[in-house]
Amino acid sequence: MGVTRAGASPRWASSSTPSKPTNNTTPTDWRTTATIKTALAGGYCLRAPAQGACQYANICEHCPSFHTTPAYLPVLTAQRDDAQALAHDARHRGWDHETERHLHLITRINNWG
């Protein structure tokens, strides 16, 4: 990543979270693509079904060393909402392992409250 002038916003800075891939070749929301997907704090990961889920998907959220505070509630709520949409999509596609992976994250986030 290049150096940013003082006071200038980096190229990746945005006032909103994109719901579509930035390459503009796919007109659909990333959450509904036929891919194995994971919502991340700074974006998302899309993998071909043949690749399976990434072994690192949501690794921090499942680590016993991960800690959070109420200050992160908006981020965690958004992550949980994404996971709910992804679980629904996976269930619709018959991807049981993916459904369970997302439901496990939802349970973990709900237990922090």
Side-chain angles (χ1 to χ4, degrees):
M1 190 173 336
V3 177
T4 303
R5 294 184 330 269
S9 296
R11 284 179 288 173
W12 49 265
S14 174
S15 61
S16 64
T17 303
S19 63
K20 298 179 183 176
T22 56
N23 64 11
N24 294 325
T25 60
T26 307
T28 56
D29 187 312
W30 69 271
R31 293 167 196 88
T32 61
T33 60
T35 59
I36 303 297
K37 42 204 161 282
T38 301
L40 307 168
Y44 51 90
C45 177
L46 304 176
R47 293 170 56 93
Q51 291 176 288
C54 176
Q55 65 180 344
Y56 303 109
N58 302 111
I59 196 167
C60 290
E61 290 88 340
H62 297 293
C63 175
S65 297
F66 179 79
H67 300 279
T68 191
T69 68
Y72 292 97
L73 190 57
V75 173
L76 295 169
T77 299
Q79 187 175 15
R80 185 189 60 209
D81 293 347
D82 278 339
Q84 287 171 333
L86 299 180
H88 176 77
D89 180 76
R91 185 178 302 115
H92 175 73
R93 295 176 192 282
W95 295 347
D96 296 337
H97 180 72
E98 274 302 283
T99 302
E100 289 303 315
R101 185 172 68 83
H102 294 299
L103 292 176
H104 185 245
L105 176 62
I106 293 165
T107 299
R108 180 97 166 117
I109 291 172
N110 285 341
N111 288 337
W112 289 326

